[in-house]
């Protein structure tokens, strides 16, 4: 456990908590929670909140709960609960035995409501949802009081009990807090706190046909759990007076402090569950964990590591002002992590056949290859070299322009870990004229990649022996949207109009070096010169190798930093 005296206060929330601990507020205790609503999968924005809540608790000898805010029976599902728990664990956090559900507190919320009614601080309203909206007023005009606002306590108690007992249809009555219809804060204008909803809840079944509204459940759940610092995103800033009002009026012993921070937005993607669910249900994506999704499970399937996501959350920091983070930073964090630990291999994505004319038929040369130049402990492996090889189609040009230094007729290049080869002839398809094979010679003196006479070549190509290589499917992913801020709505178009039609390219005839046959699902490696790839979590098997491109090697973030 950390000694609070040595904690580095890394953001304004940590500074508040630090001051509270030093002042012995809450007896010096720190208790936080991560409170997802189980109505979708977690995304990278949630990761920011998870890291913040768990790390704050960790840094100040506190604890962090996982609490499902499951007060809306209509949109919630067990699948979401399971995925959320799996994702939080995968990120590396542990709620131990502190798994809670707001629905476990339904009885308590009901008691709280009765308490407010008895105090004359809540009433049953007969206005329709639309009338309530009309009566609410606007930012510039005060609201009007409901004609039912002054029902007697007895009448309110009887009606509310009737609501609970299922005597009325959905929408006939609501319970409202009696706060202030003239308040400058719309949330304080007698907010609805209970509604009738004849719907089955995934945990409480048909036990209830009235459900508390979010605002009436969240703060009270925090208080019940002894949360000291209730951290939430900025859109709840205007709800804070109401949060405090409920806890004060209910005279609850524990009064958590609500602190707001700006939510994470990332370029070229969207973050709202309401929109993400559309990508899935309308068939734009192959599920919530499609490797193009900004969900934790999507990033995981794509090959992101928990370490890189946590590092990213550290670096973006926590602020009060909304901003959009460049997705290049997230990718940069990933590259830094993978560069240290991903072993290198050779894989040819778009194979072009190369026949080495002067190499003896049937011979195999086992060449030594370094697994990871960044990690001497990773060792070496043998890569088979033989008469027929594949190189990348892109690495050859029949008529190369000035700056193309790779293979061309008459030119010599190096094969990684292998030999120098020279292209002496080109074989083309008779009908299409397409180059289908290169005839080359090799220099046996250059084994290992250097010429004894000191002559230089300008390019080193990756390659795979045709006889030894394994066939694989490789899925190349790029940004999900073509627009930096697809959700800004400024152009009046639905965000789906900006989906990148080329966000997935499947190459099903790739050839990878034999060692890659040993890759286990979710294992990550680097294909030399091409990027980092991971064996698909579900589809990669011994019989059929399937790799996802996690990220290319080009670090646009590092470049940007260098320039500025
Ligand atoms: P969304 O708007 O994406 O649907 P939400 O706020 O409705 O998200 P919740 O399940 O209520 O989703 O979120 C759980 C916690 O995660 C909340 O405390 C919320 O403030 C936080 N959170 C959600 N989105 C972000 C984000 N983009 N950045 C940081 N925190 C977030
Ligand atoms: Mg929410």
């Amino acid at each position: 456990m950390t000694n609070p005296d040595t904690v580095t206060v890394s953001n304004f929330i940590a500074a508040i908590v630090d001051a509270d601990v030093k002042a012995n507020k809450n007896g010096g205790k720190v208790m936080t929670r991560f409170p997802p609503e189980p109505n979708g999968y977690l995304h990278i924005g949630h990761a920011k909140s998870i890291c913040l809540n768990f790390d704050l608790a960790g840094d100040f000898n506190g604890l962090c709960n996982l609490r499902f805010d499951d007060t809306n029976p209509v949109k919630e599902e067990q699948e979401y609960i399971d995925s959320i728990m799996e994702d939080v664990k995968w990120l590396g956090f542990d709620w131990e035995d502190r798994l809670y559900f707001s629905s476990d507190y339904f009885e308590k919320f009901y008691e709280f409501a009765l308490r407010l009614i008895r105090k004359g601080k809540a009433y049953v309203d007969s206005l329709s949802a639309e009338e309530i909206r009309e009566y609410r007023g606007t930012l510039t005009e005060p609201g009007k009081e409901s004609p039912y606002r002054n029902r007697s306590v007895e009448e309110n108690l009887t009606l509310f009990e009737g609501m609970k007992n299922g005597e009325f249809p959905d929408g006939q009555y609501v319970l409202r807090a009696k706060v202030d219809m003239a308040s400058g804060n719309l949330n304080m204008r007698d907010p609805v706190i209970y509604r009738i909803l004849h719907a089955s809840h995934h945990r409480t079944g048909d036990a209830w046909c009235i459900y508390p509204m979010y605002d009436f459940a969240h703060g009270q759940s925090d208080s019940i759990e002894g949360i000291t610092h209730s951290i939430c995103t900025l859109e709840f800033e205007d709800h804070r007076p109401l949060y405090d009002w409920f806890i004060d009026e209910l005279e609850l012993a524990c009064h958590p402090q609500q602190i707001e921070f700006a939510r994470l937005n990332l370029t070229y993607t969207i973050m709202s569950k309401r929109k993400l669910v559309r990508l899935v249900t309308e068939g734009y994506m192959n599920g919530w964990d499609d490797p193009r999704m900004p969900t934790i499970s999507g990033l995981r399937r794509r090959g992101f590591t928990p370490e890189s996501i946590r590092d990213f959350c550290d670096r973006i920091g926590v602020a009060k002002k909304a901003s959009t983070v460049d997705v290049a930073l997230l990718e940069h964090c990933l590259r830094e992590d993978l560069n240290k630990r991903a072993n290198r291999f050779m894989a040819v994505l778009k194979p072009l056949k190369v026949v080495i004319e002067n190499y003896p038929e049937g011979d195999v040369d086992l060449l030594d290859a370094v697994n990871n130049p960044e990690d001497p402990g990773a060792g070496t492996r043998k890569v088979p070299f033989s008469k027929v090889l594949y190189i990348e189609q892109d690495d050859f040009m029949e008529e190369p322009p000035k700056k193309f230094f790779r293979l061309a007729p008459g030119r010599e290049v190096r094969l990684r870990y292998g030999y120098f080869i020279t292209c002496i002839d080109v074989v083309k398809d008779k009908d299409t004229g397409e180059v289908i094979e290169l005839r080359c010679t090799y220099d046996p003196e250059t084994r290992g990649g250097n010429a004894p006479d000191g002559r230089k070549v300008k390019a080193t190509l990756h390659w795979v022996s045709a006889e030894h290589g394994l066939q694989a499917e490789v899925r190349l992913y790029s940004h999900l949207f073509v627009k930096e801020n697809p959700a800004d709505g400024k152009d009046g178009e639905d965000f789906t109009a900006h989906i990148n039609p080329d966000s997935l390219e499947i190459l099903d005839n790739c050839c990878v070096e034999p060692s890659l046959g040993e890759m286990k699902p979710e294992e990550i490696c680097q294909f030399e010169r091409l990027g980092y790839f991971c064996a698909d979590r579900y589809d990669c098997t011994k019989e059929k190798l399937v790799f996802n491109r996690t990220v290319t090697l080009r670090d646009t973030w590092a470049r940007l930093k260098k320039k500025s």
Side-chain angles (χ1 to χ4, degrees), residues 1-7 58-61:
M1 284 269 165
T2 334
N3 171 0
D5 291 337
T6 64
V7 166
D59 286 350
F60 293 95
N61 290 340

Side-chain angles (χ1 to χ4, degrees), residues 35 37 39 214 235-236 263 273:
E37 185 180 350
N39 61 351
Y214 175 86
E235 69 274 21
F236 292 104
R263 53 174 57 222
K273 276 186 282 184

Side-chain angles (χ1 to χ4, degrees), residues 34-37 39 43 45-46 48-49 231-233 235-236 261-264 271-274:
F34 173 63
E37 185 180 350
N39 61 351
H43 51 62
H46 292 115
K48 175 176 179 178
S49 173
I231 295 153
C232 62
T233 36
E235 69 274 21
F236 292 104
F261 71 99
R263 53 174 57 222
L264 167 67
M271 215 64 97
S272 129
K273 276 186 282 184
R274 209 165 29 84

Side-chain angles (χ1 to χ4, degrees), residues 3-5 7 14-31 56-57 59-62 228-229:
N3 171 0
D5 291 337
V7 166
I16 294 172
V17 174
D18 186 49
D20 287 349
V21 169
K22 287 191 174 131
N24 205 34
K25 193 176 165 190
N26 307 304
K29 280 209 196 76
V30 174
M31 191 85 215
L56 271 178
D59 286 350
F60 293 95
N61 290 340
T228 55
H229 300 84

